Amino acid sequence: MAAFKALYRAENILFKNLSGPGRVKLILAYPKLSKACGCYFSTSSQRSLKFCSDPADAVKDIPNGSTILVGGFGLCGIPENLINSLLKTGVKGLTAVSNNAGVDNFGLGLLLKTKQIKRMISSYVGENAEFERQYLAGELEVELTPQGTLAEKIRAGGAGIPAFFTPTGYGTLIQEGGAPIKYNKDGSIAIASEKREVKEFNGRHYIMEKAITGDYALVKAWKADKAGNIIFRKTARNFNQPMCKAAKTTIVEVEEVVDVGTFAAEDIHIPSIYVHRIVQGESYEKRIEKRTVQKKQDEKPKPKKDSDIVRERIIRRAALEFEDGMYANLGIGIPTLASNFIKPDITVHFQSENGILGLGPYPTEDMVDADLINAGKETVTVLPGAAYFASDESFGMIRGGHLNLTMLGAMQVSKYGDLANWMIPGKMVKGMGGAMDLVSSAGTKVVVTMEHSAKGGKHKILEKCNLPLTGKQCVDRIITEKVCESLYLICSGCYCKFIQCLGEKK
């Protein structure tokens, strides 16, 4: 104990000497590092935390060919100042690991436009037309990865776990291999994904996924204290939190740097051990992809088209799936709209995979917050008792079977309950996003809502899906505009309950 007290006193003396003039002396002792980064040190030389003077200084030593982990979900929580500075360096041949790649003229979309990124590892192409164009034209390598698997690969990398087994993607191109990573100019596949190892645990099949680590992580946080601890704000946490832990060098841009002690120790999201450089951003655009607000009470409703009437029939029937006390995740489009028709005497807790439990209605104009969006990138609110969390935590809830219901759309569903909803090879690629994870849990009911036929009258309920699968034997119920009776099919040991309205018996 005496030795411990002596060590404690010595440590206090050291830190006192490092304050004021002592800090300047420490910088001058390492002139090369100080000049290279434009930073000052806040800890000892054994492991230096550096506060950089501007974003350009923080990223200018990132070399060609680096693997960078870039936080954010859509445009929410992206390190926009670091990305803009990296753009100006002209660094090339990057492998960028990010849930998506921003939009055409903002976020990582800027680095795609200048061809500084060689390979994207993402779950979702989304609304970035240039991302999709480069991929289909064979100009960009793209590893499309289920969103929850991507989050877990990053989390595992930061925790020193080289690989893990997950049910997500079993029976799909992810497991079977052959998914196009890069196309040739003629549309043939130049680089294909590798087949995954499969093991069976407790009667279920799981595939092996390898961890991801990066050379650098570019992270956006809300605040940092002068010891290097950081906190995030609302849904801007997303992929930023696990990425902090999975890179050799983690660079964090923040809106504010505060004194040590401003945060209670129990409120810190990322402790300083994971952080190497911090820079305070000068300005933030915080662009919103889908600014969605409540309709004004005096606003006249628009006349309904035939397609609107069809969709409303599906939505109203889908709302009958909700039960009191249920935890549910709703996909983009028709599923999300079903929440408007919940019975007034029941309570349903909505989860959004970008990091919300307790999702509320759309905001009024004065409540719009760029740091608070849903998985569809729409502005939202939360209800009393809500919680925010990172993407790895969110998909732990999903894969772990903690949700009672997931409702999502589809391009095709087979009579066996197979689901396809994420790509048309060579033509349209939006990515699987979180869908593969959402349908992977054996304990969660999966309901598909969709129009009965595709454009041109093509069937969407088929004997066998001819598009790449999202999930195998995973759909419990289909709801279309043609509900009339329930069909119960027992196919290859899979129980599927199909609901149709005004359709033909089969």
Side-chain angles (χ1 to χ4, degrees), residues 119-183:
R119 176 175 289 208
M120 284 294 309
I121 302 176
S122 302
S123 83
Y124 194 63
V125 175
E127 288 67 44
N128 192 323
E130 179 63 12
F131 187 175
E132 185 173 18
R133 188 203 66 76
Q134 286 189 24
Y135 175 45
L136 294 176
E139 299 172 11
L140 177 70
E141 298 173 13
V142 178
E143 287 185 53
L144 284 170
T145 306
Q147 192 175 132
T149 298
L150 181 62
E152 189 65 13
K153 283 162 79 81
I154 295 165
R155 189 204 69 79
I161 299 170
F164 58 91
F165 283 90
T166 175
T168 301
Y170 174 74
T172 74
L173 278 177
I174 301 298
Q175 175 244 311
E176 295 165 354
I181 290 176
K182 187 177 182 181
Y183 287 101

Side-chain angles (χ1 to χ4, degrees), residues 266-286:
E266 60 268 27
D267 293 336
I268 290 168
H269 297 145
I270 291 292
S272 62
I273 193 170
Y274 297 112
V275 181
H276 303 91
R277 302 175 192 172
I278 293 174
V279 61
Q280 184 170 345
E282 294 182 358
S283 62
Y284 289 95
E285 183 177 342
K286 287 195 175 184

Side-chain angles (χ1 to χ4, degrees), residues 47-62:
R47 186 192 171 281
S48 300
L49 167 65
K50 294 169 263 186
F51 285 81
C52 298
S53 57
D54 62 65
D57 285 324
V59 302
K60 70 180 184 180
D61 63 341
I62 296 179

Side-chain angles (χ1 to χ4, degrees), residues 362-427:
Y362 293 130
T364 56
E365 187 62 45
D366 62 329
M367 293 175 64
V368 168
D369 187 338
D371 290 335
L372 183 50
I373 64 168
N374 64 14
K377 294 143 187 173
E378 300 170 316
T379 47
V380 292
T381 62
V382 294
L383 299 175
Y388 300 113
F389 35 83
S391 295
D392 54 334
E393 177 77 22
S394 180
F395 282 94
M397 293 179 192
I398 290 166
R399 278 192 314 273
H402 302 286
L403 299 181
N404 305 109
L405 171 71
T406 186
M407 190 179 290
L408 69 172
M411 295 177 187
Q412 295 177 346
V413 180
S414 82
K415 71 176 187 178
Y416 301 101
D418 301 334
L419 168 68
N421 74 350
W422 67 281
M423 77 177 295
I424 301 173
K427 294 183 179 179

Side-chain angles (χ1 to χ4, degrees), residues 6 22 49 86 94 130 159 178 214 272 300 302 325 343 416 451:
L49 167 65
L86 195 62
L94 296 171
E130 179 63 12
S272 62
K300 293 181 180 179
K302 295 178 181 179
K343 296 176 183 177
Y416 301 101
E451 294 183 23

